[in-house]
Amino acid sequence: MTGIIIISMVMLAIASSGIMTSGQGTEHALPDTVENNAMAVTSVSWYSPNSTELPAPGSNGIPLYVTFTSYVTITDVNVSLNLSSYKSPLSYTYISGPNSDVRTYNIIPEIEEGHSYTIMQLVNISKESKYQYYDENLTYRNSTMSGDTTFTIPVGHPEIGLISYTTNPPVIYQNEKFIKLTVYTENTGSSAMRNVNVNIVSSYYKTISPAQYSIAYYPQGKLMNFTFYINADNVTGNAPIELHVNNSTYTLNTIIHGNGKRNLSISVLKKSLVSDTKKHIMIFYLNDTGNRTYLDVQIHMLSPSIISIHVSSSNPLGALTANNVTFAQIKPGESITVTYVVDTSSAPSGNYPVQMLVEYHFNNTAETFDRVYTYNQKIVPTTTQQVENTMVDPLYAGLTALIIIILISIGAIAVHSKRKSKSIEKNKNGKNKEKEEDSKKNP
């Protein structure tokens, strides 16, 4: 009898030192009532006898392995799990329908005192499971005895947490394209998560790719990153992005900065250009009215074909760079002057659109922005063209004809007067000659 008591106390000590480990490594001692039972559960595991992985709520048909030790020798014993706790999320897995036996009964011919045995039961875990541990019973019986012992079953709970997120470029500007958004997450819960869907939603960005990530298995303790490519809308200010991981939502705070177009003032010294003339001077003014410095400013004049950059005949290669004017920077409040020497081709008078293209960037992004300034350049005809245009203008055609008629008439009158004068002079000379002859004849 004393030996039995000593063995019982040893087995009690062994059972009391039994550890059940959850996904977080928490230790749970066996219940105090173990000394009143013939058996004690020494370990519980899911999936396999030595596995430490825990299933998540909503898992079905998961093998649950329970290892127990007996304090006495029992023959022909039936050992099974009794999932009967109040509001327990655990239930037996149906094998071939709700009318089939779902509970596994383990008939063991002989359980020896002090030996360990393992039984398995397929278990479902409800999605409504909220706790990490649930107390259930291990039941045993034979023809001479029966009983049960309480033990704890751990249930895992995955938790996908947002670690951090980055954008490339780090500073985002309005209308910027193909921004790389990388989100870093970690499963900090006590079990893996299956069928994970990850996507982003924002009123300030358009998602280019991908629309969604679908992950079949997200292990416990695993770090995963998800990359999205997005385009910024033409807005400025705070621009939050919602990250959706299944039913969880996280807010990513971003800011969309202005691209500086409004603060780059462009004007032109307007004056008329004469058609078919070389070496006209065109002057533009650029002014930084904001609080940021424009860097690597490149200026191009986009003109119609009748206006072209003047290229000296002594330097024909100058045509390659004549249209590109570069400034290292324009500081806040600073104004610069851009002068072009241009030639005009023969063209009708009128207004022709001319554009100034300015490209630049800021010191916190490699993105190149552009500002386009458009105005109408007036082209006037040369003096010769003005005369030609006047001559063919219907408004002046009648007047021109009248002037020509008057000039012709004046010319005709002048000719007639000259002829008449000659005739009178001739007659006068004739009479004088006759008088001279008469005086000779009659002295």
Side-chain angles (χ1 to χ4, degrees), residues 98-143:
N99 296 323
S100 301
D101 291 336
V102 295
R103 186 174 180 180
T104 301
Y105 295 93
N106 301 273
I107 307 299
I108 303 175
E110 182 179 34
I111 295 178
E112 297 184 19
E113 178 183 348
H115 286 220
S116 295
Y117 301 86
T118 300
I119 63 172
M120 187 275 288
Q121 170 70 52
L122 296 178
V123 178
N124 298 332
I125 305 175
S126 170
K127 292 182 179 180
E128 306 303 321
S129 173
K130 299 180 180 180
Y131 305 106
Q132 286 186 309
Y133 304 101
Y134 293 92
D135 290 337
E136 300 294 352
N137 293 326
L138 178 70
T139 62
Y140 55 91
R141 71 174 183 272
N142 64 1
S143 58

Side-chain angles (χ1 to χ4, degrees), residues 81-108:
L81 299 181
N82 184 25
L83 305 180
S84 59
S85 298
Y86 179 66
K87 293 184 178 180
S88 172
L90 307 177
S91 62
Y92 305 107
T93 296
Y94 287 94
I95 298 174
S96 59
N99 296 323
S100 301
D101 291 336
V102 295
R103 186 174 180 180
T104 301
Y105 295 93
N106 301 273
I107 307 299
I108 303 175

Side-chain angles (χ1 to χ4, degrees), residues 278-392:
K278 295 184 180 298
K279 295 185 179 181
H280 282 292
I281 300 298
M282 296 183 68
I283 300 176
F284 295 86
Y285 303 100
L286 278 69
N287 186 28
D288 183 355
T289 62
N291 56 7
R292 287 180 293 182
T293 299
Y294 295 82
L295 302 175
D296 298 332
V297 182
Q298 297 188 35
I299 304 165
H300 311 270
M301 187 179 71
L302 309 178
S303 59
S305 59
I306 65 168
I307 301 175
S308 59
I309 303 296
H310 177 77
V311 179
S312 174
S313 58
S314 61
N315 182 26
L317 293 179
L320 300 176
T321 58
N323 192 34
N324 187 8
V325 179
T326 302
F327 288 86
Q329 62 183 14
I330 306 177
K331 296 180 180 179
E334 183 180 7
S335 180
I336 62 174
T337 302
V338 180
T339 302
Y340 285 103
V341 180
V342 299
D343 300 335
T344 58
S345 62
S346 179
S349 61
N351 293 320
Y352 294 85
V354 175
Q355 289 185 322
M356 169 76 76
L357 171 64
V358 182
E359 297 179 331
Y360 57 90
H361 69 81
F362 299 114
N363 61 358
N364 50 13
T365 179
E367 175 79 5
T368 299
F369 304 105
D370 59 80
R371 165 87 159 82
V372 178
Y373 171 73
T374 303
Y375 78 100
N376 290 322
Q377 175 62 55
K378 186 176 182 180
I379 302 294
V380 297
T382 63
T383 303
T384 301
Q385 289 173 333
Q386 290 179 9
V387 173
E388 291 176 351
N389 292 339
T390 301
M391 294 298 292
V392 299

Side-chain angles (χ1 to χ4, degrees), residues 191-357:
S191 69
M193 178 179 283
R194 287 177 168 79
N195 302 321
V196 182
N197 295 316
V198 182
N199 68 291
I200 57 173
V201 176
S202 178
S203 301
Y204 307 93
Y205 298 92
K206 179 181 179 181
T207 303
I208 303 303
S209 68
Q212 177 175 284
Y213 284 93
S214 296
I215 309 300
Y217 185 76
Y218 195 150
Q220 173 200 358
K222 179 73 173 181
L223 179 69
M224 285 190 179
N225 60 287
F226 304 93
T227 298
F228 299 89
Y229 288 90
I230 56 179
N231 289 345
D233 290 342
N234 188 24
V235 296
T236 59
N238 294 325
I241 302 173
E242 288 186 353
L243 172 69
H244 296 276
V245 182
N246 283 1
N247 296 325
S248 300
T249 301
Y250 305 91
T251 300
L252 315 180
N253 293 312
T254 68
I255 297 176
I256 299 178
H257 299 266
N259 54 27
K261 292 184 180 181
R262 294 183 179 180
N263 295 325
L264 183 61
S265 173
I266 304 176
S267 60
V268 62
L269 179 61
K270 291 188 177 181
K271 64 176 184 178
S272 300
L273 301 181
V274 180
S275 174
D276 196 18
T277 307
K278 295 184 180 298
K279 295 185 179 181
H280 282 292
I281 300 298
M282 296 183 68
I283 300 176
F284 295 86
Y285 303 100
L286 278 69
N287 186 28
D288 183 355
T289 62
N291 56 7
R292 287 180 293 182
T293 299
Y294 295 82
L295 302 175
D296 298 332
V297 182
Q298 297 188 35
I299 304 165
H300 311 270
M301 187 179 71
L302 309 178
S303 59
S305 59
I306 65 168
I307 301 175
S308 59
I309 303 296
H310 177 77
V311 179
S312 174
S313 58
S314 61
N315 182 26
L317 293 179
L320 300 176
T321 58
N323 192 34
N324 187 8
V325 179
T326 302
F327 288 86
Q329 62 183 14
I330 306 177
K331 296 180 180 179
E334 183 180 7
S335 180
I336 62 174
T337 302
V338 180
T339 302
Y340 285 103
V341 180
V342 299
D343 300 335
T344 58
S345 62
S346 179
S349 61
N351 293 320
Y352 294 85
V354 175
Q355 289 185 322
M356 169 76 76
L357 171 64

Side-chain angles (χ1 to χ4, degrees), residues 11-12 24 39 57 116 127 142 153 203 245 267 310 330 396 413 424 439 441:
M11 294 304 298
L12 176 61
Q24 296 180 332
M39 296 180 183
S116 295
K127 292 182 179 180
N142 64 1
I153 299 178
S203 301
V245 182
S267 60
H310 177 77
I330 306 177
Y396 299 98
I413 293 173
I424 294 173
S439 62
K441 292 179 179 180

